Amino acid sequence: MTVISKSKNRAAAIGEAAAAGARPLTGNEAIARGAWEAGVRVASGYPGTPSTEILETLARYPVDDLQAQWSTNEKVALDVAIGASFAGVRAMASMKHVGLNVAADALMSLTYIGVNGGLVIVVCDDPGIHSSQNEQDTRLFCRLAMVPCLEPSDAQEALEFTRAAFALSEQFDTPVVIRSTTRLSHTRSVVALGSRVVPPSRGFREDTKKNVMIPAHARARHPRLIEREQNLAAFFEQNPLNRWEKGDAAIGVITAGTPYAYVKEILPGASVLKLALSYPLPMELIRDFALSVGRVFVVEELEPAIETEIRAAGIAAAGKAYFPRTGEFSPEVVRAAFERAGVLEPQPKPAPWPVQSTPRPPVLCPGCPHTMSYMAIRALNARVAGDIGCYTLATIEPLRSIDTCVSMGSSIANAVGMSKAGTEDKPIIATIGDSTFLHAGIPPLIDAVYNNANITVIILDNHITAMTGGQDHAGTGRTLRGEGTTRIDFEQMVRACGVKWVRRVDSYDVGQMHQSFREAVAFKGVSVVISDRPCVLDPVRIRGPVFAVALDACTACQSCMNLGCPALGWDDTTVEGRHKVKINAELCIGCTLCAQSCPSDCIRPVSPAA
Amino acid sequence: MADTETSPPTNVLIVGVGGQGVIMVSKVLAALCQLHGLQVKQSEVHGMAKRGGSVFSHVRFGAQVWSPIIPHGETDILVALEWSEGLRWLDAMRRDSGTFIADTQQIVPPIAFRDRRPGARSGYAPQSPAAVLEMVGTGFALDATRVAAGLGNTRIANTVLLGALSTALPFPVEGWISVLRDFVPPHTVAVNLKAFQAGRDWVESGSRPAEEAARPAGARVAVAARGHRLEITEAWCKGCDICVKMCPERCLRLDERGLAELANPAACTGCRVCEWLCPDFAVRVLDGLGQPVA
Ligand SMILES: Cc1ncc(C[n+]2csc(CCOP(=O)(O)OP(=O)(O)O)c2C)c(N)n1
Ligand code: SF4
Ligand code: SF4
């Protein structure tokens, strides 16, 4: 197979970046820029849409400016940032919303400890669940952790708020959360840039009462949190990051983050109080604003985080009575809510065009190495605990072979529980990607061995974190900056966890795959199959000689189409009314899987290997 | 065009399938707007995009742009890099004044081929480009992928459409060309410029309505479905499981005695793989009339 290298410019330092001026940046790029301008020295994270590009952008700044790294999971990432803060430099951790659940344990102690070097946690929410497992609202987490939460509304603010967050962190001895959303992270607009200012390192500050959370110290710190909450709220009573835009006195809108843009689009004339910080709230400012207008609305995506606090303070305001608590906002959603509230006249909607489109769910790529793992699993009639990654797509047509998916790393322990429940006659299988296995799969594998579970674990090792766009991890042998490093060997790792039955198989070897899976489920105890083939998309795009169907021999059984390969489609010729198969030469990457699964042996390579 | 303080932004929605270059088209447009000193917001959701799913990118520009998302029904120009993706977003376009620019190329998703019974049709959008264009008013349907193939590289179909789009916006052509140069890999500049010009020429030569575009895939054959049955000679079946494992529709199983049975008759397409593969000749496929399938 030939390998076409993809120009990823991993190492390309942002030379021109140092230049000030204005440039179009996405929200994520602006956050990275803001952190760089604020003099961040250590940044760590774990990939997750829509947060991934923040660290990828930071890694393009000169290595002398900052250390940027992928960590094995979000808790590790936050702990790395905490360590750097202890050591006296500005530090950042970035993750998607559910990543904060993983990092929560560290966060809940960190908030008591506070910071030495400024520490900012960037958390990207996903209202509308574009590519996540839920749409939890990070602002409620900030309330729980008593950590201030800044909500930028566009890329310019993303840069400015991130800069401000580091100063705020040091001033108030607190970690600070920047809450982004998919829309902000992935919208590009022109941003005015500043220059980088690195505060001198504060050095490690020896102070066990602050840095060591034993009960006696923690008890002393807790009241300080409450004091800090009050101080922050007072500080934001008069702060230029909040904006009071005087307009029509009949309608007042309190908002923060991206919904601000929709409010301006839909109600350009209204009075608006745009809050920079959604926790803690400057309640006197809000009260003054509310008194200056007629009806008060709170417009916020997902949970009524601001509304609840405002109403608890005795200020009359309406929010979720009209605005949805689920899904992403848009101009239509905001308009419809103001129509319901009687602020706007309902607009007639034209009837939809009488056209029929085609459903297009995401699919595994042509030649995706995960395909054969699930074909082999289907032949076993097993109960399959799934996990999170590209391979979760095997849940839907045509592979239809995953029964559960909870959160990253859940598959293995879910399988343990199913086997312990003793209700299933079927073999019990957990399938987990390489990145997910390193993220949260090792403790449950040890649990399975320790508790003698009878399960089979299939590690889908495609040598990359594919789902999020192709990031390196500890099993790829490369760092975020593309430098070589120690590569974790899955086979050794699994054996070290105490697993006795381990086998590595080539994911494209159909016979071996079937055989190994059968033997693995027959084994009593924990067995592990490592299904091994690189992703065909990242880090390099793989393409081999293309395959074609010999139409005269095709019996139109469509066995090959069970692979769900997007390169396989119908030919116009038929057998008994069923279509023969045609391969799209533009899409085929020559993985051979369809050829191996054709019962009439009519799928053959078109040209010799180039 | 939004060039005064008060006029609303211009809204361009670019749609297609992962890997087609939707984002490239929108980035070029956004950069051009910036060059002209306009405020511009470009918003897309990626994540599942490269895995063959739908991709769309909103570009809004003008003196002042608030929402990064185009309000529904206010898209001035809808650019579709794939035919049925264009249809999916048709309602986002302005009824009275919207312009529809679409590649007639069809990327048929695997799910459209799910029905494998004899005579089944593909689930791809059934209407012809000509019929759709007749409805929408201002519309251009061109086989950009074929134009690109003619230039030797189907991957530049997006640049052909960019050329077509350039005719619908009042920016001078030189600006487009200089921005395009910056966005494509250096060794492809020449061919991309040709593709861009081809898209412009196509629209300006007024080759409307739609070229005779490809017929929706697989819409031709219509043979009545016939209820297939399997005849399994139990005395000959030794429960080797081959037919169960090899059935493309997974409609066979071994019963409690370990003999093959048709567990899901509705899913059987009568493909006869089981009949051919049974080493003991224990399976025969019969048509709806109980006759062996010829
Ligand atoms: C706690 C948490 N962090 C991050 C993510 C985002 N995410 C989804 S899948 C995935 C990684 C998948 O990588 P891998 O397991 O190697 O499977 P692949 O996509 O390569 O098939 C990540 C990071 C998440 N869903 N939850
Ligand atoms: S990106 Fe890689 S792992 Fe994901 S579907 Fe494509 S080939 Fe498979
Ligand atoms: S060889 Fe077959 S299965 Fe593999 S990519 Fe080509 S058409 Fe798809």
Side-chain angles (χ1 to χ4, degrees):
Chain A
M1 263 193 198
T2 51
V3 148
I4 303 166
S5 92
K6 220 165 112 181
S7 57
K8 266 223 148 165
N9 301 335
R10 274 178 197 282
I14 304 186
E16 12 88 70
R23 275 198 299 139
L25 297 181
T26 62
N28 279 348
E29 290 164 347
I31 289 170
R33 173 78 193 196
W36 177 80
E37 289 183 5
V40 73
R41 290 287 301 159
V42 176
S44 181
Y46 182 74
T49 313
S51 70
T52 312
E53 301 84 7
I54 298 170
L55 269 198
E56 289 179 330
T57 306
L58 272 175
R60 293 203 289 268
Y61 287 99
V63 67
D64 290 342
D65 286 2
L66 58 98
Q67 300 290 324
Q69 64 169 51
W70 288 132
S71 287
T72 36
N73 67 33
E74 292 85 353
K75 172 171 162 51
V76 176
L78 179 54
D79 280 325
V80 167
I82 294 171
S85 166
F86 274 140
V89 297
R90 290 190 163 178
M92 187 174 100
S94 74
M95 59 199 67
K96 69 184 290 172
H97 59 332
V98 287
L100 193 57
N101 302 337
V102 178
D105 202 14
L107 174 67
M108 298 308 290
S109 297
L110 169 65
T111 185
Y112 279 47
I113 293 171
V115 304
N116 182 23
L119 198 164
V120 173
I121 308 168
V122 182
V123 186
C124 299
D125 284 7
D126 189 18
I129 321 189
H130 295 287
S131 52
S132 301
Q133 60 267 44
N134 73 14
E135 56 180 346
Q136 68 188 53
D137 189 331
T138 293
R139 300 174 308 157
L140 299 189
F141 230 124
C142 295
R143 173 76 187 78
L144 173 68
M146 300 177 73
V147 168
C149 179
L150 282 164
E151 283 199 77
S153 73
D154 62 14
Q156 183 70 52
E157 285 187 353
L159 187 154
E160 285 163 13
F161 285 17
T162 306
R163 263 186 89 120
F166 283 94
L168 209 59
S169 168
E170 285 161 5
Q171 185 181 347
F172 289 90
D173 192 8
T174 178
V176 176
V177 166
I178 299 276
R179 185 226 192 195
S180 179
T181 59
T182 302
R183 194 55 62 183
L184 169 63
S185 283
H186 290 170
T187 295
R188 185 176 276 104
S189 56
V190 176
V191 176
L193 308 176
S195 46
R196 177 170 161 99
V197 180
V198 188
S201 159
R202 303 171 161 213
F204 190 94
R205 225 167 51 202
E206 289 178 13
D207 180 356
T208 48
K209 287 206 167 66
K210 173 167 156 58
N211 295 343
V212 181
M213 275 309 102
I214 55 175
H217 300 171
R219 259 179 244 124
R221 298 287 302 175
H222 195 178
R224 292 188 174 219
L225 254 69
I226 293 163
E227 210 176 291
R228 182 175 81 196
E229 179 185 59
Q230 288 160 356
N231 293 343
L232 271 160
F235 183 73
F236 273 85
E237 289 291 354
Q238 282 180 8
N239 189 300
L241 293 183
N242 293 323
R243 236 178 18 244
W244 180 335
E245 298 173 0
K246 297 219 159 69
D248 176 2
I251 306 288
V253 177
I254 300 170
T255 187
T258 353
Y260 167 74
Y262 306 133
V263 169
K264 297 296 284 185
E265 180 87 26
I266 296 299
L267 283 185
S271 294
V272 175
L273 179 61
K274 181 185 173 303
L275 298 171
L277 204 63
S278 50
Y279 167 83
L281 293 176
M283 213 49 91
E284 291 317 308
L285 175 67
I286 291 171
R287 201 182 300 280
D288 289 348
F289 176 79
L291 287 174
S292 76
V293 292
R295 292 177 78 182
V296 180
F297 292 93
V298 182
V299 183
E300 54 188 329
E301 241 167 9
L302 298 177
E303 287 301 297
I306 299 173
E307 180 189 352
T308 307
E309 299 274 322
I310 292 181
R311 288 169 47 146
I315 300 166
K320 296 300 170 185
Y322 305 111
F323 290 86
R325 264 173 84 174
T326 59
E328 190 187 15
F329 278 10
S330 64
E332 297 76 69
V333 168
V334 171
R335 160 167 271 286
F338 281 122
E339 286 175 4
R340 275 191 291 276
V343 172
L344 291 173
E345 286 295 314
Q347 264 187 345
K349 288 181 189 58
W353 288 109
V355 295
Q356 207 183 320
S357 182
T358 310
R360 196 182 297 278
V363 289
L364 294 173
C365 300
C368 173
H370 296 325
T371 311
M372 193 51 221
S373 297
Y374 288 97
M375 288 296 281
I377 285 172
R378 280 187 54 159
L380 294 171
N381 187 28
R383 188 59 72 207
V384 182
D387 222 300
I388 305 191
C390 282
Y391 49 95
T392 317
L393 295 172
T395 310
I396 49 178
E397 291 284 353
L399 290 167
R400 271 186 294 141
S401 42
I402 291 179
D403 295 306
T404 67
C405 169
V406 183
S407 69
M408 280 190 75
S410 293
S411 58
I412 299 178
N414 290 163
V416 171
M418 287 184 211
S419 92
K420 294 288 170 183
T423 53
E424 286 284 347
D425 305 330
K426 298 178 169 190
I428 293 173
I429 296 181
T431 61
I432 184 165
D434 48 348
S435 189
T436 305
F437 179 68
L438 294 169
H439 176 284
I442 297 166
L445 183 64
I446 294 172
D447 184 276
V449 172
Y450 174 53
N451 291 306
N452 246 320
N454 184 20
I455 62 167
T456 296
V457 176
I458 314 251
I459 299 178
L460 304 158
D461 183 7
N462 63 351
H463 308 194
I464 202 86
T465 316
M467 180 78 196
T468 44
Q471 289 74 34
D472 283 300
H473 58 64
T476 70
R478 282 179 312 269
T479 66
L480 169 58
R481 284 190 186 269
E483 293 143 354
T485 181
T486 305
R487 176 174 182 174
I488 302 297
D489 181 312
F490 286 103
E491 201 169 329
Q492 278 182 20
M493 158 86 76
V494 167
R495 288 195 196 281
C497 292
V499 178
K500 300 286 184 304
W501 198 106
V502 186
R503 186 176 299 165
R504 183 190 295 272
V505 209
D506 177 349
S507 320
Y508 284 171
D509 187 335
V510 172
Q512 271 300 316
M513 288 284 279
H514 280 296
Q515 180 67 22
S516 303
F517 282 31
R518 262 203 296 271
E519 286 178 34
V521 297
F523 180 80
K524 285 267 166 295
V526 181
S527 52
V528 173
V529 182
I530 301 163
S531 173
D532 185 357
R533 261 283 165 174
C535 165
V536 302
L537 218 56
D538 284 305
V540 284
R541 195 174 283 254
I542 294 171
R543 235 174 112 77
V546 169
F547 279 65
V549 177
L551 281 177
D552 50 349
C554 174
T555 63
C557 73
Q558 300 188 19
S559 290
C560 54
M561 293 195 70
N562 276 338
L563 293 164
C565 172
L568 296 165
W570 284 351
D571 191 75
D572 280 347
T573 55
T574 60
V575 176
E576 294 161 13
R578 293 183 311 270
H579 289 266
K580 294 187 183 184
V581 172
K582 182 171 68 182
I583 291 177
N584 180 336
E586 295 279 333
L587 296 177
C588 173
I589 67 113
C591 74
T592 75
L593 287 179
C594 58
Q596 290 185 64
S597 45
C598 173
S600 33
D601 207 16
C602 67
I603 304 184
R604 296 158 202 164
V606 172
S607 57
Chain B
M1 267 306 287
D3 43 15
T4 68
E5 274 304 321
T6 50
S7 57
T10 302
N11 301 320
V12 181
L13 180 61
I14 300 141
V15 305
V17 177
Q20 281 196 301
V22 167
I23 310 297
M24 188 279 240
V25 172
S26 66
K27 273 187 168 175
V28 168
L29 175 57
L32 184 69
C33 298
Q34 196 206 339
L35 207 70
H36 284 268
L38 296 164
Q39 210 191 77
V40 50
K41 283 189 178 167
Q42 176 213 341
S43 182
E44 64 248 354
V45 170
H46 36 86
M48 310 294 269
K50 69 177 179 186
R51 272 151 294 269
S54 318
V55 192
F56 50 95
S57 179
H58 300 246
V59 182
R60 310 192 72 203
F61 56 90
Q64 172 77 67
V65 179
W66 289 111
S67 166
I69 309 176
I70 300 170
H72 189 72
E74 294 183 20
T75 296
D76 297 295
I77 305 175
L78 171 61
V79 182
L81 274 55
E82 197 275 346
W83 179 247
S84 73
E85 290 308 308
L87 301 189
R88 185 188 317 289
W89 293 100
L90 214 50
D91 287 327
M93 215 169 63
R94 282 189 201 281
R95 274 306 155 100
D96 39 352
S97 58
T99 302
F100 180 50
I101 300 175
D103 191 341
T104 54
Q105 197 211 173
Q106 303 179 352
I107 298 180
V108 187
I111 200 160
F113 300 122
R114 264 317 284 163
D115 187 352
R116 298 189 193 147
R117 287 166 306 180
R121 282 160 173 262
S122 121
Y124 193 82
Q127 283 137 311
S128 78
V132 172
L133 286 199
E134 198 159 321
M135 274 186 334
V136 298
T138 316
F140 303 91
L142 61 157
D143 195 340
T145 304
R146 183 145 32 107
V147 174
L151 295 169
N153 185 353
T154 50
R155 304 193 71 99
I156 56 174
N158 59 348
T159 310
V160 177
L161 284 168
L162 195 69
L165 169 65
S166 72
T167 63
L169 290 168
F171 299 117
V173 66
E174 299 73 35
W176 285 97
I177 289 174
S178 86
V179 173
L180 187 60
R181 276 179 192 280
D182 291 346
F183 272 87
V184 300
H187 63 281
T188 67
V189 168
V191 71
N192 269 289
L193 292 184
K194 271 192 207 154
F196 179 79
Q197 192 56 44
R200 286 184 68 85
D201 292 348
W202 192 89
V203 173
E204 280 164 359
S205 69
S207 32
R208 277 187 284 156
E211 292 175 26
E212 187 38 49
R215 193 169 3 92
R220 187 170 71 177
V221 193
V223 181
R226 25 186 160 169
H228 288 99
R229 287 194 291 125
L230 294 200
E231 183 184 272
I232 298 171
T233 310
E234 294 191 346
W236 293 351
C237 173
K238 60 177 188 283
C240 71
D241 216 24
I242 289 177
C243 58
V244 177
K245 289 288 185 286
M246 294 306 288
C247 170
E249 306 307 323
R250 313 267 157 184
C251 52
L252 288 153
R253 70 170 169 227
L254 296 186
D255 66 14
E256 62 290 345
R257 299 165 300 161
L259 302 180
E261 69 173 345
L262 181 58
N264 186 0
C268 174
T269 66
C271 75
R272 295 167 78 195
V273 165
C274 51
E275 181 178 325
W276 295 323
L277 293 181
C278 175
D280 298 282
F281 305 99
V283 191
R284 273 206 315 165
V285 180
L286 306 179
D287 68 14
L289 304 170
Q291 299 301 312
V293 176

